[in-house]
Amino acid sequence: MDPSILILVISFTFLLIIGTPVSISIGVSTLLTMLVSIDFIPAVTTTAQRMGGGLNSFSLLAIPFFILSGLLMGQGGIARRLVEFAKVLIGMFPGGLAFVNVISCTLFGAISGSAVAATSAIGSFMIPTMNKEGYDKNFNAAITVASSTTGLLIPPSNILIIYSLASGGVSIAALFVAGYIPGLLMAAFLMIVCAIYARIKKFPVGERPCLKDVALRSWEAIPSLALIFIVIGGIIKGIFTATEASVIAVLYAGFLSLVVYKEIAWGDLKPLLVKAGETTAIVLLLIATSTAMSWILSYENIPQDLSTQLLNLTENPLVILLTINIILLLVGVFMDMTPAVLIFTPILLPVAESLGLSPLHFGIIMIMNLCIGLCTPPVGSVLFVGCSVAKTSIGSLIKPLLPMYAAMIFALLLVIFIPALSEFLPEFFGLYNMP
């Protein structure tokens, strides 16, 4: 192995083991790698330049606005109304609250664009409710964790914006629309797991709502659900770009939370803005340092070398494709989603394209793989949040999570081998060439 790459791997792994934040670990290991072949001052200057260049993208302006809109939705009563809406639709079936959990997490994750926000907002309401109804505590936390990741595939999604940047400009609008069917497919398979659990464990059956309750909860949820149609409809119709849509999402979520639902006071905006700023800073620092690491990998010809090795591994494209997915699953286990996308997209995308996959199709495959990683130890951020909300341990969640991992992987395999699942909607709406 090349000495510089050896230094990169060893330094990055060591820094993570001793508890250094991921963004700092990436930046320091990148700088140490550059020092192998570049003097100190040029190495520091080059690292800083690459970090700054990684943030020089208009599309990244959408990230702070989508983060803020997610925070507004989490505290503005939107999560509770989505749960109540899902409950009157399917809460009366055996294990109905588990179905409600999946649908609520999917809807809220899609509206907020954050799996962590969905786990926290929906989990803090649904997990105690399911506990009171006699559902298994660890199963309740596990299904919340797994289903929260589906929202990362359904727009608006910050990680799809980051993939667009890493892939060299795949249409954000096309990525947004491409994620709908895979995201809903993953949610559907998780609901099948819930149905099997409900039958085996004999989960309780909820009360059948009256027509008045159905109408009331549906009416209350319409303004929240309308955000999806406003944002995506505006992008599809060309009324605004994905970046402009993020501002629309903030204005609409603020209007709902402050004026319609009145669950956020004007005085509550300051801490929300501060939190949005802190989260944005963390995400953008990850993007900056990951971009610098991606550059040094390219400088050392790692993407080209790995592409050659993978293509020489076998003449069977199916084996190569499955190998890529195994790599992505392992990456998701040990690395957070943002740096994983920025670092491994330039490495693996050329290989995928040589196998005949479009950058759009590969992007959805990559995000689905990394979504599974968010639910797995030792780095799964959503898993940690779910354990915190449910007041349980990671070890207790692994057993109920196993069939959910299987369901998510099965959905992933369908998307891998049926490209139309991710490409049909972008082609139908003619979004491939949109910004």
PDB file of all heavy atoms in Angstrom, residues 409-421:
ATOM      1  N   ILE A 409     -32.530  -4.425   3.605  1.00  0.00           N
ATOM      2  CA  ILE A 409     -31.610  -4.964   2.594  1.00  0.00           C
ATOM      3  C   ILE A 409     -32.384  -5.549   1.416  1.00  0.00           C
ATOM      4  O   ILE A 409     -31.969  -5.404   0.259  1.00  0.00           O
ATOM      5  CB  ILE A 409     -30.681  -6.020   3.231  1.00  0.00           C
ATOM      6  CG1 ILE A 409     -29.698  -5.334   4.188  1.00  0.00           C
ATOM      7  CG2 ILE A 409     -29.925  -6.807   2.163  1.00  0.00           C
ATOM      8  CD1 ILE A 409     -28.849  -6.295   4.998  1.00  0.00           C
ATOM      9  N   PHE A 410     -33.525  -6.193   1.690  1.00  0.00           N
ATOM     10  CA  PHE A 410     -34.339  -6.726   0.606  1.00  0.00           C
ATOM     11  C   PHE A 410     -34.856  -5.598  -0.286  1.00  0.00           C
ATOM     12  O   PHE A 410     -34.847  -5.709  -1.526  1.00  0.00           O
ATOM     13  CB  PHE A 410     -35.508  -7.531   1.169  1.00  0.00           C
ATOM     14  CG  PHE A 410     -36.301  -8.271   0.132  1.00  0.00           C
ATOM     15  CD1 PHE A 410     -35.756  -9.344  -0.543  1.00  0.00           C
ATOM     16  CD2 PHE A 410     -37.587  -7.874  -0.201  1.00  0.00           C
ATOM     17  CE1 PHE A 410     -36.473 -10.020  -1.516  1.00  0.00           C
ATOM     18  CE2 PHE A 410     -38.318  -8.543  -1.175  1.00  0.00           C
ATOM     19  CZ  PHE A 410     -37.757  -9.616  -1.832  1.00  0.00           C
ATOM     20  N   ALA A 411     -35.302  -4.498   0.328  1.00  0.00           N
ATOM     21  CA  ALA A 411     -35.732  -3.333  -0.454  1.00  0.00           C
ATOM     22  C   ALA A 411     -34.571  -2.787  -1.263  1.00  0.00           C
ATOM     23  O   ALA A 411     -34.734  -2.402  -2.435  1.00  0.00           O
ATOM     24  CB  ALA A 411     -36.286  -2.258   0.481  1.00  0.00           C
ATOM     25  N   LEU A 412     -33.382  -2.757  -0.667  1.00  0.00           N
ATOM     26  CA  LEU A 412     -32.184  -2.295  -1.374  1.00  0.00           C
ATOM     27  C   LEU A 412     -31.897  -3.159  -2.601  1.00  0.00           C
ATOM     28  O   LEU A 412     -31.608  -2.642  -3.690  1.00  0.00           O
ATOM     29  CB  LEU A 412     -30.994  -2.321  -0.413  1.00  0.00           C
ATOM     30  CG  LEU A 412     -29.604  -2.115  -1.028  1.00  0.00           C
ATOM     31  CD1 LEU A 412     -29.477  -0.726  -1.627  1.00  0.00           C
ATOM     32  CD2 LEU A 412     -28.507  -2.333   0.033  1.00  0.00           C
ATOM     33  N   LEU A 413     -31.988  -4.485  -2.443  1.00  0.00           N
ATOM     34  CA  LEU A 413     -31.718  -5.386  -3.565  1.00  0.00           C
ATOM     35  C   LEU A 413     -32.702  -5.158  -4.716  1.00  0.00           C
ATOM     36  O   LEU A 413     -32.319  -5.207  -5.893  1.00  0.00           O
ATOM     37  CB  LEU A 413     -31.776  -6.838  -3.093  1.00  0.00           C
ATOM     38  CG  LEU A 413     -30.632  -7.280  -2.167  1.00  0.00           C
ATOM     39  CD1 LEU A 413     -30.908  -8.680  -1.609  1.00  0.00           C
ATOM     40  CD2 LEU A 413     -29.298  -7.257  -2.916  1.00  0.00           C
ATOM     41  N   LEU A 414     -33.966  -4.915  -4.385  1.00  0.00           N
ATOM     42  CA  LEU A 414     -34.950  -4.639  -5.430  1.00  0.00           C
ATOM     43  C   LEU A 414     -34.579  -3.369  -6.204  1.00  0.00           C
ATOM     44  O   LEU A 414     -34.669  -3.337  -7.436  1.00  0.00           O
ATOM     45  CB  LEU A 414     -36.341  -4.492  -4.822  1.00  0.00           C
ATOM     46  CG  LEU A 414     -37.030  -5.767  -4.332  1.00  0.00           C
ATOM     47  CD1 LEU A 414     -38.396  -5.427  -3.733  1.00  0.00           C
ATOM     48  CD2 LEU A 414     -37.198  -6.771  -5.475  1.00  0.00           C
ATOM     49  N   VAL A 415     -34.151  -2.333  -5.484  1.00  0.00           N
ATOM     50  CA  VAL A 415     -33.777  -1.079  -6.143  1.00  0.00           C
ATOM     51  C   VAL A 415     -32.523  -1.270  -6.991  1.00  0.00           C
ATOM     52  O   VAL A 415     -32.406  -0.706  -8.087  1.00  0.00           O
ATOM     53  CB  VAL A 415     -33.562   0.034  -5.092  1.00  0.00           C
ATOM     54  CG1 VAL A 415     -32.998   1.295  -5.736  1.00  0.00           C
ATOM     55  CG2 VAL A 415     -34.879   0.351  -4.387  1.00  0.00           C
ATOM     56  N   ILE A 416     -31.586  -2.092  -6.506  1.00  0.00           N
ATOM     57  CA  ILE A 416     -30.352  -2.341  -7.266  1.00  0.00           C
ATOM     58  C   ILE A 416     -30.673  -3.003  -8.602  1.00  0.00           C
ATOM     59  O   ILE A 416     -30.163  -2.587  -9.652  1.00  0.00           O
ATOM     60  CB  ILE A 416     -29.391  -3.238  -6.447  1.00  0.00           C
ATOM     61  CG1 ILE A 416     -28.832  -2.466  -5.258  1.00  0.00           C
ATOM     62  CG2 ILE A 416     -28.247  -3.744  -7.340  1.00  0.00           C
ATOM     63  CD1 ILE A 416     -28.044  -3.341  -4.293  1.00  0.00           C
ATOM     64  N   PHE A 417     -31.512  -4.025  -8.569  1.00  0.00           N
ATOM     65  CA  PHE A 417     -31.733  -4.838  -9.763  1.00  0.00           C
ATOM     66  C   PHE A 417     -32.925  -4.384 -10.606  1.00  0.00           C
ATOM     67  O   PHE A 417     -33.141  -4.911 -11.702  1.00  0.00           O
ATOM     68  CB  PHE A 417     -31.891  -6.307  -9.371  1.00  0.00           C
ATOM     69  CG  PHE A 417     -30.641  -6.894  -8.767  1.00  0.00           C
ATOM     70  CD1 PHE A 417     -30.608  -7.295  -7.444  1.00  0.00           C
ATOM     71  CD2 PHE A 417     -29.484  -7.005  -9.524  1.00  0.00           C
ATOM     72  CE1 PHE A 417     -29.458  -7.817  -6.883  1.00  0.00           C
ATOM     73  CE2 PHE A 417     -28.326  -7.526  -8.971  1.00  0.00           C
ATOM     74  CZ  PHE A 417     -28.298  -7.929  -7.649  1.00  0.00           C
ATOM     75  N   ILE A 418     -33.670  -3.400 -10.105  1.00  0.00           N
ATOM     76  CA  ILE A 418     -34.771  -2.833 -10.899  1.00  0.00           C
ATOM     77  C   ILE A 418     -34.564  -1.319 -10.968  1.00  0.00           C
ATOM     78  O   ILE A 418     -35.144  -0.563 -10.172  1.00  0.00           O
ATOM     79  CB  ILE A 418     -36.154  -3.173 -10.283  1.00  0.00           C
ATOM     80  CG1 ILE A 418     -36.279  -4.675 -10.027  1.00  0.00           C
ATOM     81  CG2 ILE A 418     -37.273  -2.704 -11.215  1.00  0.00           C
ATOM     82  CD1 ILE A 418     -37.578  -5.079  -9.341  1.00  0.00           C
ATOM     83  N   PRO A 419     -33.716  -0.854 -11.869  1.00  0.00           N
ATOM     84  CA  PRO A 419     -33.400   0.582 -11.944  1.00  0.00           C
ATOM     85  C   PRO A 419     -34.629   1.474 -12.093  1.00  0.00           C
ATOM     86  O   PRO A 419     -34.611   2.629 -11.654  1.00  0.00           O
ATOM     87  CB  PRO A 419     -32.494   0.677 -13.184  1.00  0.00           C
ATOM     88  CG  PRO A 419     -31.909  -0.694 -13.338  1.00  0.00           C
ATOM     89  CD  PRO A 419     -32.980  -1.631 -12.871  1.00  0.00           C
ATOM     90  N   ALA A 420     -35.697   0.946 -12.682  1.00  0.00           N
ATOM     91  CA  ALA A 420     -36.899   1.760 -12.895  1.00  0.00           C
ATOM     92  C   ALA A 420     -37.494   2.258 -11.585  1.00  0.00           C
ATOM     93  O   ALA A 420     -38.172   3.290 -11.561  1.00  0.00           O
ATOM     94  CB  ALA A 420     -37.947   0.955 -13.665  1.00  0.00           C
ATOM     95  N   LEU A 421     -37.225   1.556 -10.487  1.00  0.00           N
ATOM     96  CA  LEU A 421     -37.763   1.992  -9.197  1.00  0.00           C
ATOM     97  C   LEU A 421     -37.237   3.371  -8.803  1.00  0.00           C
ATOM     98  O   LEU A 421     -37.914   4.134  -8.117  1.00  0.00           O
ATOM     99  CB  LEU A 421     -37.431   0.974  -8.106  1.00  0.00           C
ATOM    100  CG  LEU A 421     -38.150  -0.377  -8.203  1.00  0.00           C
ATOM    101  CD1 LEU A 421     -37.632  -1.338  -7.154  1.00  0.00           C
ATOM    102  CD2 LEU A 421     -39.657  -0.201  -8.063  1.00  0.00           C
TER     103      LEU A 421
END
